[in-house]
Every structure is written in C-alpha cells, then in structure tokens.
Amino acid sequence: MNERNFDNQSDRELLSLMKDGNQLSFNEIYDRYWERLYAYVYKILNDKWLTEDTLQEVFTNVWVNKEQTNIVNLKSYLFNAVRNRALLKIRGAKLTKMDEQIIKKLSRTPAVDQNFNQKDLEHRVATAIKVLPARCRSIFYMNKFDHYSIDEIATHYNISRRTVQNQISLALKHLKKELGDSVIVIALLSVV
C-alpha cells in the first residue's frame, strides 16, 4: 500500500485513508492543494513567510486532528481554513488602506462562495465580539473560524465540554443581540 498512486483518488477517498493514519494520502492532499492555497493566501498576506506559516498551521491541524475531523468538502474546508487563519494573523495588525483594498477585492473560489459577504461577517463579528472576555472570545474563534471541535477546545483549555458549549452559547447570544436576526447571524448560528 505504501507504493500506491493516489493521483486518481477522490478527496473523499483520500480523507478516509488519512483518517486511518495513511501518511501518503495526506501527502497527496498537501500536494494537490498547496500551490492553489499558497497563491490564495499570498494575495491576503502579501508575505512569503506568513503565507507559508499559515499553510503549515492549517495542514498540521488537518493531520493532527485527522481522526476527529468530519470534513465534507475538502476544497471548501481548506480554502476557508487558510483564509480565516490568514485573517486572524492580520486582525491584530494595523492595516493600511492599500491592505484593506486588497482584502476587499479578493476573489473567492466558487466552492467557497456564499450568499453573504464573508468579509463583512468577519468584520461585524470581530467588532461585536471584542467586548467579550478573552477566553470566551478565543473559544468562539477556535470553534467558528478555526473549526476546532468542542472536545478539542475542552482539551486545549483543560475545561469541560459543557463549559465550552456555554462559552460559545454566550458569544452567540451576544452576537445575536448586537447584529440582530440578519441572514449573517442565522448562517453563523447554523454552524454550531
């Protein structure tokens, strides 16, 4: 099985093999998507090292959490994960007007395109959630934007699943209060 050629395998088949610990299937996923993801993230960050770091973090997360991950659409998952990770990297940095224009003009891949503006959602959520306590905010971002499961977050913070669920619920209630019953909030709530 080590010499198997994975070129003709579907993403779903590769994910299944990877979940069983097959390193070669993971290597194929990496090879299949790395260049496209690199080009996409580089448009956001405009920095070779930050782009490589972002991709490394996402792919490491995919491999480390391979047994718990329930990825349905690999391409969509990877593009969302790298985009969100890249935006988290620049969220704390002071953006120039040129940076904001570049981010605004980014084209999303058709598989990632949604009925609402993802950038607008992230900006509104980031603004609304800034007032929450640091841990609550961090748990929310880990779950909604970095796609960590409740169990993974509980393990990370050494807290109960119930505490994680309560923190996410608290953040969502705050967002609903701040943002109202818009399509954006409904979409975000459906990710729970």
Side-chain angles (χ1 to χ4, degrees), residues 6-177:
F6 293 100
D7 291 343
N8 297 322
Q9 299 289 322
S10 70
D11 286 350
R12 188 175 299 253
E13 292 168 324
L14 291 172
L15 284 169
S16 177
L17 290 167
M18 184 185 73
K19 273 188 152 186
D20 293 336
N22 186 306
Q23 175 76 44
L24 295 176
S25 62
F26 172 77
N27 292 348
E28 176 61 28
I29 290 170
Y30 182 89
D31 291 342
R32 190 175 286 185
Y33 286 100
W34 189 87
E35 284 184 36
R36 287 185 279 172
L37 292 170
Y38 182 93
Y40 182 68
V41 174
Y42 189 81
K43 286 179 184 178
I44 298 170
L45 297 174
N46 199 27
D47 182 282
K48 176 185 176 190
W49 304 112
L50 283 176
T51 299
E52 289 176 0
D53 188 47
T54 300
L55 293 179
Q56 182 66 32
E57 289 172 7
V58 169
F59 278 110
T60 299
N61 187 42
V62 167
W63 177 253
V64 168
N65 298 306
K66 65 187 174 293
E67 291 151 7
Q68 297 87 19
T69 302
N70 290 318
I71 299 171
V72 177
N73 182 325
L74 179 63
K75 180 180 179 181
S76 180
Y77 174 86
L78 289 173
F79 274 90
N80 275 322
V82 297
R83 183 174 191 274
N84 291 333
R85 183 74 60 148
L87 290 173
L88 282 173
K89 287 186 180 299
I90 61 175
R91 189 169 275 131
K94 190 171 187 178
L95 298 178
T96 66
K97 288 189 183 215
M98 179 184 267
D99 292 332
E100 290 172 0
Q101 288 174 349
I102 290 170
I103 292 169
K104 193 181 235 180
K105 291 181 181 180
L106 280 177
S107 63
R108 292 188 296 274
T109 62
V112 181
D113 198 24
Q114 300 167 2
N115 291 334
F116 55 87
N117 185 322
Q118 182 74 22
K119 172 104 172 82
D120 182 50
L121 167 65
E122 290 171 3
H123 176 71
R124 291 177 67 193
V125 168
T127 301
I129 208 126
K130 280 182 183 177
V131 300
L132 290 173
R135 178 168 289 181
C136 180
R137 186 172 57 244
S138 177
I139 287 172
F140 178 80
Y141 277 123
M142 286 176 76
N143 181 255
K144 299 301 178 194
F145 295 104
D146 288 339
H147 309 290
Y148 284 92
S149 71
I150 289 173
D151 290 330
E152 291 169 325
I153 297 168
T155 301
H156 176 78
Y157 281 110
N158 196 23
I159 56 178
S160 71
R161 292 182 86 251
R162 186 72 182 142
T163 301
V164 173
Q165 291 169 331
N166 287 341
Q167 293 294 304
I168 293 169
S169 178
L170 189 125
L172 289 172
K173 284 178 187 173
H174 173 72
L175 284 173
K176 189 169 183 175
K177 178 182 166 200

